[in-house]
Amino acid sequence: MEFENKEVGLIDVLDVVLDKGVAIKGDIILSIAGIDLVYLDLRVLISSVETLIESNQQTAEKFSSKQFDYEKEELDRVIHQS
């Protein structure tokens, strides 16, 4: 309720993003008639250098390429089992 009428400026959002960091992952598949033509695997990490240095190894592993690949394989496995 207290945030309902609060205005948030771009600088406030940018400050939080750089302080905490944001990881964005997405997959885009372009297909025609059920045939996959283009597959894009997008991964973006936005953070300040200081935040990255302060993060511990567990957090780094959570956002690693190996972890993203594992999650993708698990998702593909679940989709193909359905």
Side-chain angles (χ1 to χ4, degrees):
M1 285 297 215
E2 70 181 72
F3 297 112
E4 189 173 314
N5 294 322
K6 184 176 180 182
E7 292 184 24
V8 178
L10 179 60
I11 191 70
D12 296 328
V13 174
L14 186 59
D15 184 48
V16 171
V17 167
L18 291 177
D19 184 44
K20 301 294 181 184
V22 173
I24 303 169
K25 182 186 182 298
D27 296 320
I28 298 174
I29 301 174
L30 300 176
S31 61
I32 296 177
I35 300 172
D36 294 344
L37 300 175
V38 177
Y39 173 77
L40 297 173
D41 185 14
L42 308 170
R43 298 171 189 183
V44 177
L45 176 63
I46 302 171
S47 180
S48 68
V49 173
E50 182 180 356
T51 302
L52 288 175
I53 292 172
E54 291 176 355
S55 66
N56 60 23
Q57 185 62 26
Q58 182 181 11
T59 303
E61 289 175 5
K62 182 178 176 182
F63 296 117
S64 71
S65 292
K66 287 182 182 180
Q67 181 64 26
F68 283 129
D69 291 340
Y70 172 75
E71 290 174 5
K72 182 185 177 300
E73 289 171 4
E74 286 296 311
L75 180 61
D76 288 341
R77 185 181 58 80
V78 169
I79 289 172
H80 293 297
Q81 283 182 356
S82 299

